[in-house]
Every structure is written in C-alpha cells, then in structure tokens.
Amino acid sequence: MTRPGPDAQQTGMQLTDAQPADRQQKDTQLTDTPLIDMRHIGKTFVQADMETRVLHDISLRVWPGDFLALTGSSGSGKSTLLYIMGLLDQASSGSYHLQGQDVSTLDDAAASAFRNAVTGFVFQSFFLIPYASALDNVLLPGVYSQVPDRELRARAEELLVRVGLGDRMHHKPNQLSGGQQQRVALARALLQEPALLLADEPTGQLDTATSRSILELFQKINEGGTTIIMVTHSPETAACARKRIVMRDGRIHPDIPDEVEQPEQPDRANGTDRTDAAEDQALG
Amino acid sequence: MTLRQFLRILVQAQRAIRAYWTNSVFIVCAISLGIAALTVILASMEGASRKAEELAAKFGPTSINIIGGNLVEQAMASRPMTLTWNDVRRIGDCMPGAERVSPLLLKAAVQVQSGGRRHTTDSLVGTGAEHGPSWGWYPETGRDFTREDLEFARSVCLIGAATAQALFGSADPLGRIVVVDRVPLVVIGVLTRQGLSSGDMDFDDRVTVPITTMIRRFNLSRHYLSQVRVTFAKSSTPQHMAEYSRQLRGLLRSLHGIQDGAADDFLLVTMQDIMDFVDVVKGSIVIFLGLVAVVTMLTGGFTQANLFYLAVTDRSVEIGLKKALGASSQAIFVQFLLEAVLLACLGALAGLAIGAAFGALLSSFDLLSISLSPTVFLLAVLMACAIGCAFGVRPARKAAGLAPVSALRGLS
Ligand SMILES: Nc1ncnc2c1ncn2[C@@H]1O[C@H](COP(=O)(O)OP(=O)(O)OP(=O)(O)O)[C@@H](O)[C@H]1O
Ligand SMILES: [Mg+2]
C-alpha cells in the first residue's frame, strides 16, 4: 500500500476542487481544463407524484490523473452522483462538462459514444455476462466501437494478462472467484482506454486480501494516467485514493476527515462520518 | 450504425439465443407451427395444381364426356339413363368436328372371380370403341379390343391394374379366364395404372368389355347408355371446344325434347370443367388451411412477443450493462430485433421440416398431394421474418428504452 501520499490534502471550499496536490509537478502533462467540471448539480427523482431530492447543489472539479474516493453513508447519493458522472443518468439541474464538453443535455447516441470511449465502469457485483468467457466479457465494449477486431483482441488479451488472468481467458464467470471476476470487469472497463474510470464499491463483495490486490491494480492504472473515481464505504479502501470526498444527504461534506491519511486512528474532526461508515460496514 | 457494429451485434444476438435456449426453443416451436401450416397450404396448392394438370392431361383437351342424367339436379329428375344409341348416331351425323363418338355403359360393384379368388370390382364398363384411342387409355400389357371383338360381342376383357393385382397377384393375367356374373371372359390386356379415383371408385379397379358383349351377356338395357365420349380433332383450341360444347348441348336438348327453361337431363364435362372444379376444391383447401395458418402464426407471434417481453425484464442487467459500456439505445434495439428475427427464421426452418413431414404423411394417405418448391421455402422464410419483425418490435423497443441506471438496479 503506497497511498495516501503526504500531500493528499483537501480544502473545504464551496467549489470542491479535487485537484491533485502534486499537480504542480505534473503541470507539463496536464491541461488547464478539468476532466470533470460539475456546477450546482441537483438530482430529483419523481416517482408517482413523490419527489425525492437526492443531490443538492453539487459543484466539483476533477483533474486528469486524479484518484478520488467518494465516501459517505448509505443513501447519501454516491452512486447517483457516479452515474451522472458516467452519463448513465442525467442531472435534474446544474451543468456538467466532461473533457471540456458540455454533456448535460446529450442525446442518447452522443452519450453512449462518450460512455464507450471516455468512461469505464466497474460495479460492486461485477455484472459479467454469465454465458460469455472472460475474454468475450472484456471484449464487450468493443462491440460498440469502431476499433478493428484484431486490435480489440490484442488489447483484451493484454489487459487480462495485466490483471493476472492470462491463464483464465476462456473461463466462464462461474468458473472464476469473486476477485477474478472483478479483475475481468476491470479489464473490460479498460478495453476502450478510457480517460475516466468509475467504480461503484468495486471491493464491496470481496475479502480484505482480495480487495487489497484489486486496489493495487487501481493504483497501477491510476499511475498510468487514468483518472479514477471510486465509491467506497471502507476507510481503508478510501485511503488508497489520493483524495477523498465525503457525501452526506446529497451534499459534499465540507469537512476533511483526518482518517483519510491514517485510517486506524480515531476520528477527531468528524464524528458523524465515522459513525456512518462504521454502521455501513456493520450492515454491508 | 456501421456494418462492422451490425455484425458484432449479430454475434451478440446469436450468443444470447444460445444462452437463453429454453426460451428460444419455446419461441421456435411456436413459430414453427404456423410456418408448418403455411408450408402444407402452399405445398398442397402446388400439389393440387399439378394433380389438376395431370388429370386434365389424362382427360384430354379435345374431348367432351356426356354423362346421362343431371347429376347437379338429380333430386328432381332422377332418371339417370337418358342417353341413347340414337343420340350417338345423331352426334356422329350432326357434329362435323367429332372424330370419334364412343358410347359407354357402366355397372358398379360387380363380383369377379378367377380360380379360387373372388373380388368385387368397382365397375364393369362396356365400351363401344377401341379403348386406347377413345379414352386415351391404353393397355400396358396385352392388346386392345379390335373391331371384330366389338362387332361380334366376343367374351374378352381388359382389366385394371388394381383388379389384376387383386385376382392374380404377381402372376400374369393374360389369357386367363375371369368370371363375371357367371359369364366367362378371356383377359386380353391389363390397362396402365391411372392412380386416380373419384369418390369411392378406383379407376384402376375395373373390368372393361365390348359394349356389345355387355348388352348381350349381362342383361342390360339395349337402349340407354351411361356415358358418351366425343373426341374432336387434336388441333381444336379451347375456343373451338367451348363452341363444340355449346352446339352439343343444343343438339342433345332438341334430341331429348327439352323445353326452353327446363334443365338438361345430361351433363357435359370438358377439361376446362375439371380444371374449374379442381380450382374450387383448391380454393376451399386454401381457405381452410389458410385460416389454420393465420391462427397458428398469430398464436406463435404472440407467444414470441410475450416471452420476449418477459425476457427483457429478466435481462435488464444485461441491457443496463451494455448501455453502461457504450451501447446506444439503437444498438440494443437492433440486438433484440435481430434475436426475434433469427428465432423466427429458425422457426421457419423447423416449420418447413414439420410441414414437409406432415405433407408427406397426408399424401401417403392420399388426402393431399404435396409439392415442396423453392417458392414455398422462400415464402415461409419471408413470412417468418415478417412475424419476427412485427412481434419483436415492441419488446425490442422496451429493451432499448430502459434507462441504464434502473436497468442495472434490476427495476423495469
Ligand atoms: N430511481 C430512484 N427513484 C427514487 N429514489 C431513488 C432512485 N434511485 C436512488 N434513489 C434514492 O436516492 C438516494 C441515494 O441513492 P444512492 O444509490 O445514490 O445512494 P448511495 O450513496 O450509493 O448508497 P449506498 O452506499 O447504499 O450504495 C437514496 O435515498 C435512494 O433511495
Ligand atoms: Mg451506492
């Protein structure tokens, strides 16, 4: 475990600027456009005359190359925010720029092209196609791209080797362990070489040792330049990220809990968050 | 959508079909029944047309059969024997186009025996002319009647192939004696097999004798005839035949003294009449089987639509996932529609096989004659594609319309 770095500090300003602290050193590679630029994002679900406000006035910037952990209690809107970031859902209000482009009101074709080329998704319950081999699962995003078959196959095989499944390419998901399945899902998310990798509790169903090896993979991927936003309940997992954002009742919590840096130490600044996290772990 | 993406989605569709094979089997079965009915209907139509042509060819395009009595309105004037020898003479005199006028006498269900074997033949037929040229029906083995046989009322006979089989089995009937109503007759020939039947009467089960022999030996009326066949020149066109038929009818009406407005006491049959009749029969077959086909096909389509509709809910995670990975709604729509069309095409192939087997069964019972052609094949497949499209659109649209997030959360 290499994270967190000593300078993974965060400032509690109104516009949460998730700019990596070591940005200055990488300035040569980075542009001045944030990868994600969300302003005053709100989300309201309407169900049978009942309105549920899930996100309130979320403003957030994420710079290329960052690795963000999104934590918070259950129901605080983490998944909802992640889905909006990945264009799987649309915000009810506010503006969203992805790679400098306004994506708040894209039509289906354009949004799916973005999902195919710019974002990669990893889910808590893997979501592998049960009847397809590991290799075919990894190849799935390629179906909707214009990349030639041969190149897709080469990439998929290489990715499977990279996640340590070079000898399991033709296994079906039910012949793989949970950790192996999540590796396949991770390789699948990377097939289209996305700029942004979104993960919703990727280690939620895995034991500690397996989680750790998956998180190491995430860190390697991040070191390769891919921006990662990861939803998690676990402080240890969050500690692997460079930066941590805490959500509460659909808002980004302004306080920065210290346990980001030292998860094993008791929380000083923010008792509530810690209690929530402990509760969630007990539940989940 | 590019061709490359389309082909990749086709692979996805084909994989899903195999993965959800129980569902697929149900849908294929449902569709195949409709296509099977359609196959039988089309094949039997073709079979019927072919049979009609055969029948017409055997009947001969330039002949008219006159049948005594009015079969159509038999109830009111049931005097079947209305044709006389006088009619035969007068037709020969008054119809210059008539090359041959052959009288015929018929007796149904007659006992025949030979050696120890007994057989009830469907008909005993007396013919007033050589059998081959007048009926277009020649002996397969042996010889035809000669003028002498006819003139001197010789005790000779031609027998049908079925009669020969019943009395002699595989032995050669030529020269053997058969006894009909205590009259011994020498078998001089066996007629070629026709393979036709009308009602209960098998054309191949008959004993044919010279009409003179029939009248003298079998105690039948000397005045009345069952049928008269008039054969015109080979070169006569259908227009000529229609005109001959009209003239013949006028002649017979005046010979029989029928008042204007009264019904004929005879029936004229031409090749055209036979074809028309077959068309009517064909029409009713088409209506019946067509209804069956439409009903089964609709049932199949609805089954497919419902199973598919349910499957979309079952497969919402797959749909949501694919959308999350970059599938557009259009791509999902195309995949599900392709699945529906592929299944319908599989159903079409299965249906063709079932239809062909069922058709073979029907024709082995002589109920229908079936003829499978590329047209039938093509129509069945096109029909199936149409069903697949028509009934696959709604589920496919539902799948395409699923919001990725709710699909992933397993909601609908
Ligand atoms: N389709 C929907 N309709 C109505 N309410 C919804 C819908 N989806 C989510 N919500 C509500 O939005 C809130 C936030 O949900 P979300 O899944 O984002 O929470 P979360 O932070 O990811 O929680 P967890 O840690 O348990 O995954 C919840 O109260 C949930 O009930
Ligand atoms: Mg969640």
Side-chain angles (χ1 to χ4, degrees), chain B residues 214-265:
Chain B
M214 185 131 163
I215 290 166
R216 281 189 208 161
R217 302 293 200 98
F218 293 94
N219 196 24
L220 283 172
S221 155
R222 323 186 146 259
H223 303 291
Y224 294 108
L225 296 162
S226 307
Q227 281 187 32
V228 176
R229 180 173 167 98
V230 189
T231 304
F232 296 90
K234 281 255 178 313
S235 56
S236 310
T237 62
Q239 286 77 18
H240 289 142
M241 291 308 293
E243 177 59 20
Y244 289 146
S245 181
R246 206 184 56 74
Q247 288 173 2
L248 200 53
R249 180 160 176 247
L251 176 63
L252 283 168
R253 280 180 74 92
S254 79
L255 285 172
H256 294 189
I258 297 170
Q259 303 280 309
D260 281 359
D264 295 347
D265 62 355

XYZ file of all heavy atoms in Angstrom, chain B residues 214-265:
422
model
N -71.451 -56.559 -73.315
C -72.113 -56.144 -72.081
C -73.625 -56.206 -72.241
O -74.328 -56.737 -71.379
C -71.683 -54.715 -71.750
C -72.221 -54.237 -70.427
S -70.909 -53.518 -69.466
C -71.840 -52.599 -68.269
N -74.125 -55.715 -73.377
C -75.573 -55.678 -73.575
C -76.142 -57.085 -73.709
O -77.120 -57.443 -73.075
C -75.909 -54.829 -74.819
C -75.610 -53.349 -74.523
C -77.369 -55.000 -75.223
C -75.583 -52.489 -75.764
N -75.430 -57.927 -74.491
C -75.980 -59.261 -74.743
C -75.865 -60.171 -73.544
O -76.774 -60.930 -73.260
C -75.246 -59.907 -75.916
C -75.774 -59.351 -77.208
C -75.246 -60.088 -78.393
N -75.226 -59.173 -79.519
C -74.511 -59.364 -80.600
N -73.737 -60.445 -80.699
N -74.562 -58.509 -81.575
N -74.741 -60.138 -72.849
C -74.493 -61.136 -71.813
C -74.924 -60.715 -70.420
O -75.098 -61.559 -69.575
C -73.002 -61.472 -71.774
C -72.443 -61.993 -73.062
C -73.041 -63.385 -73.371
N -72.221 -64.099 -74.312
C -71.330 -65.010 -73.953
N -71.153 -65.299 -72.698
N -70.618 -65.633 -74.867
N -75.041 -59.421 -70.206
C -75.295 -59.013 -68.817
C -76.682 -58.444 -68.604
O -76.927 -57.750 -67.631
C -74.226 -58.019 -68.343
C -72.869 -58.632 -68.243
C -71.977 -58.548 -69.288
C -72.513 -59.344 -67.106
C -70.750 -59.141 -69.207
C -71.275 -59.932 -67.026
C -70.379 -59.844 -68.079
N -77.543 -58.699 -69.566
C -78.938 -58.365 -69.342
C -79.127 -56.892 -69.003
O -79.796 -56.536 -68.050
C -79.485 -59.247 -68.210
C -81.006 -59.217 -68.203
O -81.613 -58.943 -69.242
N -81.601 -59.476 -67.058
N -78.486 -56.020 -69.793
C -78.638 -54.589 -69.563
C -79.490 -54.008 -70.677
O -79.655 -54.608 -71.742
C -77.271 -53.897 -69.561
C -76.461 -54.086 -68.288
C -75.071 -53.529 -68.474
C -77.161 -53.402 -67.110
N -79.998 -52.809 -70.421
C -80.865 -52.157 -71.402
C -80.138 -51.985 -72.729
O -78.974 -51.603 -72.782
C -81.276 -50.781 -70.874
O -81.604 -49.946 -71.954
N -80.840 -52.252 -73.835
C -80.221 -52.105 -75.145
C -80.319 -50.663 -75.626
O -79.767 -50.313 -76.640
C -80.920 -52.946 -76.229
C -81.383 -54.228 -75.791
C -81.947 -55.087 -76.901
N -81.616 -56.454 -76.555
C -80.629 -57.109 -77.098
N -79.914 -56.564 -78.053
N -80.365 -58.332 -76.714
N -81.121 -49.862 -74.943
C -81.394 -48.531 -75.473
C -80.551 -47.447 -74.836
O -80.163 -46.508 -75.499
C -82.878 -48.181 -75.263
C -83.758 -49.200 -75.890
N -83.858 -49.345 -77.261
C -84.550 -50.154 -75.343
C -84.688 -50.330 -77.516
N -85.126 -50.843 -76.382
N -80.319 -47.583 -73.551
C -79.704 -46.469 -72.829
C -78.219 -46.693 -72.561
O -77.770 -47.825 -72.393
C -80.455 -46.212 -71.523
C -81.856 -45.731 -71.779
C -82.957 -46.544 -71.544
C -82.053 -44.441 -72.303
C -84.236 -46.091 -71.807
C -83.337 -44.000 -72.576
C -84.416 -44.815 -72.325
O -85.669 -44.367 -72.599
N -77.521 -45.567 -72.506
C -76.080 -45.589 -72.277
C -75.749 -44.769 -71.034
O -76.498 -43.858 -70.668
C -75.351 -44.964 -73.469
C -75.508 -45.716 -74.783
C -75.147 -44.822 -75.952
C -74.652 -46.972 -74.754
N -74.645 -45.099 -70.388
C -74.247 -44.320 -69.201
C -73.548 -43.041 -69.624
O -73.777 -41.970 -69.063
C -73.297 -45.105 -68.319
O -73.849 -46.359 -68.020
N -72.647 -43.171 -70.558
C -71.844 -42.019 -70.970
C -71.566 -42.110 -72.457
O -71.568 -43.195 -73.044
C -70.479 -42.028 -70.266
C -70.496 -41.536 -68.847
C -69.087 -41.411 -68.299
O -68.145 -41.117 -69.031
N -68.950 -41.648 -67.012
N -71.313 -40.954 -73.050
C -70.819 -40.924 -74.426
C -69.628 -39.975 -74.446
O -69.691 -38.886 -73.867
C -71.905 -40.421 -75.409
C -71.337 -40.309 -76.821
C -73.114 -41.343 -75.372
N -68.571 -40.414 -75.048
C -67.409 -39.535 -75.138
C -67.232 -39.121 -76.589
O -67.183 -39.951 -77.478
C -66.172 -40.274 -74.645
C -64.907 -39.428 -74.698
C -63.789 -40.216 -74.032
N -62.485 -39.672 -74.264
C -61.837 -38.883 -73.397
N -62.416 -38.531 -72.275
N -60.623 -38.473 -73.668
N -67.137 -37.811 -76.789
C -66.953 -37.283 -78.136
C -65.564 -36.673 -78.214
O -65.211 -35.828 -77.393
C -68.023 -36.207 -78.456
C -67.956 -35.825 -79.935
C -69.405 -36.697 -78.088
N -64.792 -37.154 -79.176
C -63.427 -36.638 -79.309
C -63.314 -35.846 -80.605
O -63.750 -36.311 -81.665
C -62.420 -37.801 -79.313
O -62.618 -38.558 -78.118
C -60.988 -37.279 -79.353
N -62.753 -34.644 -80.483
C -62.620 -33.763 -81.653
C -61.183 -33.756 -82.137
O -60.289 -34.339 -81.492
C -63.074 -32.350 -81.276
C -64.536 -32.305 -80.909
C -64.953 -32.500 -79.600
C -65.499 -32.093 -81.895
C -66.289 -32.481 -79.274
C -66.847 -32.078 -81.558
C -67.242 -32.262 -80.245
N -60.971 -33.075 -83.256
C -59.628 -33.052 -83.850
C -58.607 -32.509 -82.848
O -58.917 -31.625 -82.048
C -59.624 -32.186 -85.106
N -57.397 -33.088 -82.898
C -56.329 -32.697 -81.970
C -56.057 -31.195 -81.996
O -55.626 -30.609 -81.014
C -55.022 -33.425 -82.359
C -54.955 -34.858 -81.902
C -53.997 -34.963 -80.711
C -53.895 -36.372 -80.156
N -55.185 -37.045 -79.944
N -56.311 -30.598 -83.165
C -55.952 -29.188 -83.337
C -56.973 -28.233 -82.730
O -56.781 -27.024 -82.762
C -55.794 -28.892 -84.829
O -56.996 -29.259 -85.489
N -58.057 -28.767 -82.170
C -59.105 -27.879 -81.646
C -58.574 -27.035 -80.490
O -57.939 -27.551 -79.576
C -60.297 -28.689 -81.147
O -60.696 -29.617 -82.119
N -58.864 -25.732 -80.541
C -58.424 -24.828 -79.479
C -59.489 -24.800 -78.380
O -60.607 -25.279 -78.591
C -58.269 -23.409 -80.037
O -59.553 -22.976 -80.495
C -57.264 -23.359 -81.174
N -59.166 -24.245 -77.219
C -60.176 -24.109 -76.155
C -61.403 -23.344 -76.643
O -62.528 -23.662 -76.244
C -59.428 -23.321 -75.076
C -57.997 -23.668 -75.273
C -57.820 -23.869 -76.741
N -61.198 -22.357 -77.544
C -62.344 -21.615 -78.094
C -63.233 -22.565 -78.914
O -64.448 -22.560 -78.779
C -61.877 -20.452 -78.994
C -61.306 -19.260 -78.246
C -59.876 -19.507 -77.742
O -59.186 -20.407 -78.205
N -59.458 -18.702 -76.783
N -62.583 -23.393 -79.745
C -63.341 -24.381 -80.514
C -64.121 -25.273 -79.581
O -65.306 -25.541 -79.799
C -62.403 -25.270 -81.349
C -61.768 -24.560 -82.495
N -60.458 -24.781 -82.879
C -62.245 -23.625 -83.345
C -60.160 -24.012 -83.896
N -61.242 -23.290 -84.210
N -63.453 -25.724 -78.533
C -64.079 -26.674 -77.615
C -65.307 -26.059 -76.945
O -66.319 -26.735 -76.765
C -63.080 -27.141 -76.552
C -61.959 -28.016 -77.075
S -62.541 -29.422 -78.038
C -63.352 -30.367 -76.766
N -65.195 -24.775 -76.595
C -66.336 -24.108 -75.968
C -67.510 -24.063 -76.941
O -68.666 -24.318 -76.565
C -65.946 -22.698 -75.531
N -67.206 -23.806 -78.204
C -68.243 -23.737 -79.232
C -68.866 -25.124 -79.454
O -70.088 -25.284 -79.492
C -67.617 -23.197 -80.532
C -68.557 -23.133 -81.727
C -69.774 -22.250 -81.483
O -69.711 -21.398 -80.562
O -70.786 -22.434 -82.179
N -68.005 -26.183 -79.542
C -68.499 -27.558 -79.706
C -69.418 -27.919 -78.550
O -70.472 -28.537 -78.731
C -67.336 -28.551 -79.738
C -66.502 -28.502 -80.999
C -65.137 -28.744 -80.977
C -67.107 -28.242 -82.248
C -64.370 -28.712 -82.126
C -66.350 -28.207 -83.412
C -64.982 -28.428 -83.348
O -64.234 -28.396 -84.476
N -68.991 -27.517 -77.352
C -69.752 -27.857 -76.161
C -71.143 -27.232 -76.242
O -72.157 -27.874 -75.925
C -68.983 -27.345 -74.938
O -69.659 -27.675 -73.758
N -71.180 -25.964 -76.713
C -72.450 -25.248 -76.847
C -73.358 -25.943 -77.882
O -74.532 -26.200 -77.634
C -72.160 -23.810 -77.289
C -73.207 -22.789 -76.906
C -72.854 -21.434 -77.479
N -72.672 -21.471 -78.941
C -73.666 -21.585 -79.822
N -74.902 -21.664 -79.404
N -73.407 -21.631 -81.121
N -72.749 -26.318 -79.025
C -73.519 -26.986 -80.090
C -74.056 -28.324 -79.614
O -75.217 -28.673 -79.853
C -72.632 -27.219 -81.318
C -72.306 -25.946 -82.079
C -71.292 -26.205 -83.192
O -70.869 -27.335 -83.424
N -70.896 -25.133 -83.870
N -73.182 -29.078 -78.915
C -73.545 -30.413 -78.447
C -74.727 -30.330 -77.488
O -75.668 -31.123 -77.540
C -72.328 -31.023 -77.748
C -72.287 -32.540 -77.578
C -72.504 -33.230 -78.910
C -70.946 -32.955 -76.982
N -74.689 -29.314 -76.639
C -75.753 -29.145 -75.656
C -77.078 -28.859 -76.372
O -78.112 -29.477 -76.058
C -75.394 -27.996 -74.715
C -76.432 -27.744 -73.664
C -75.879 -26.979 -72.470
N -76.976 -26.703 -71.565
C -77.452 -25.488 -71.310
N -76.902 -24.431 -71.880
N -78.468 -25.340 -70.486
N -77.025 -27.963 -77.382
C -78.235 -27.632 -78.143
C -78.794 -28.869 -78.832
O -80.008 -29.143 -78.779
N -77.899 -29.660 -79.452
C -78.319 -30.865 -80.168
C -79.013 -31.838 -79.224
O -80.106 -32.343 -79.509
C -77.092 -31.505 -80.818
C -77.324 -32.831 -81.540
C -78.288 -32.637 -82.714
C -76.009 -33.424 -82.021
N -78.380 -32.094 -78.084
C -78.935 -33.073 -77.143
C -80.270 -32.596 -76.587
O -81.199 -33.382 -76.425
C -77.943 -33.330 -76.002
C -76.776 -34.252 -76.378
C -75.697 -34.230 -75.310
C -77.267 -35.679 -76.602
N -80.372 -31.300 -76.296
C -81.644 -30.767 -75.779
C -82.761 -30.977 -76.789
O -83.872 -31.376 -76.429
C -81.499 -29.274 -75.444
C -80.819 -29.013 -74.109
C -80.707 -27.543 -73.832
N -82.002 -26.960 -73.453
C -82.417 -26.862 -72.191
N -81.640 -27.260 -71.206
N -83.602 -26.354 -71.920
N -82.454 -30.750 -78.066
C -83.521 -30.915 -79.052
C -83.826 -32.393 -79.252
O -84.980 -32.793 -79.382
C -83.167 -30.208 -80.363
O -82.275 -30.997 -81.099
N -82.773 -33.262 -79.231
C -83.000 -34.700 -79.369
C -83.852 -35.223 -78.218
O -84.678 -36.110 -78.396
C -81.669 -35.448 -79.397
C -80.851 -35.358 -80.692
C -79.484 -35.987 -80.502
C -81.606 -36.037 -81.842
N -83.633 -34.677 -77.004
C -84.369 -35.155 -75.831
C -85.666 -34.397 -75.629
O -86.356 -34.616 -74.643
C -83.484 -35.048 -74.569
C -82.301 -35.959 -74.596
N -81.488 -36.167 -73.516
C -81.792 -36.746 -75.576
C -80.518 -37.016 -73.832
N -80.687 -37.373 -75.091
N -85.958 -33.447 -76.539
C -87.207 -32.694 -76.465
C -87.349 -31.867 -75.207
O -88.405 -31.849 -74.572
N -86.271 -31.212 -74.814
C -86.339 -30.417 -73.580
C -86.817 -29.018 -73.887
O -86.302 -28.359 -74.797
C -84.955 -30.381 -72.899
C -84.547 -31.807 -72.488
C -84.965 -29.475 -71.672
C -83.128 -31.943 -72.037
N -87.827 -28.583 -73.145
C -88.404 -27.260 -73.339
C -87.405 -26.168 -72.953
O -86.536 -26.393 -72.117
C -89.645 -27.091 -72.432
C -90.707 -28.140 -72.636
C -91.560 -27.846 -73.850
O -92.086 -26.741 -74.000
N -91.681 -28.820 -74.744
N -87.587 -24.992 -73.546
C -86.770 -23.851 -73.119
C -87.010 -23.586 -71.638
O -88.151 -23.626 -71.184
C -87.146 -22.583 -73.913
C -86.495 -22.612 -75.283
O -85.760 -23.589 -75.557
O -86.737 -21.684 -76.070
N -85.979 -23.337 -70.926
C -86.126 -23.041 -69.498
C -86.041 -24.271 -68.632
O -85.746 -24.166 -67.447
N -86.289 -25.461 -69.199
C -86.168 -26.678 -68.386
C -84.691 -27.081 -68.286
O -83.873 -26.679 -69.106
C -86.981 -27.808 -69.004
N -84.390 -27.878 -67.243
C -82.991 -28.250 -67.007
C -82.558 -29.351 -67.966
O -83.393 -30.121 -68.458
C -82.822 -28.708 -65.568
N -81.247 -29.429 -68.223
C -80.677 -30.515 -69.031
C -80.924 -31.841 -68.328
O -80.972 -31.900 -67.105
C -79.150 -30.333 -69.163
C -78.790 -29.081 -69.950
O -79.686 -28.500 -70.590
O -77.599 -28.696 -69.901
N -81.033 -32.923 -69.111
C -81.060 -34.241 -68.465
C -79.757 -34.989 -68.752
O -79.714 -36.193 -68.833
C -82.291 -35.042 -68.913
C -82.268 -35.310 -70.418
O -81.351 -34.782 -71.103
O -83.149 -36.054 -70.892
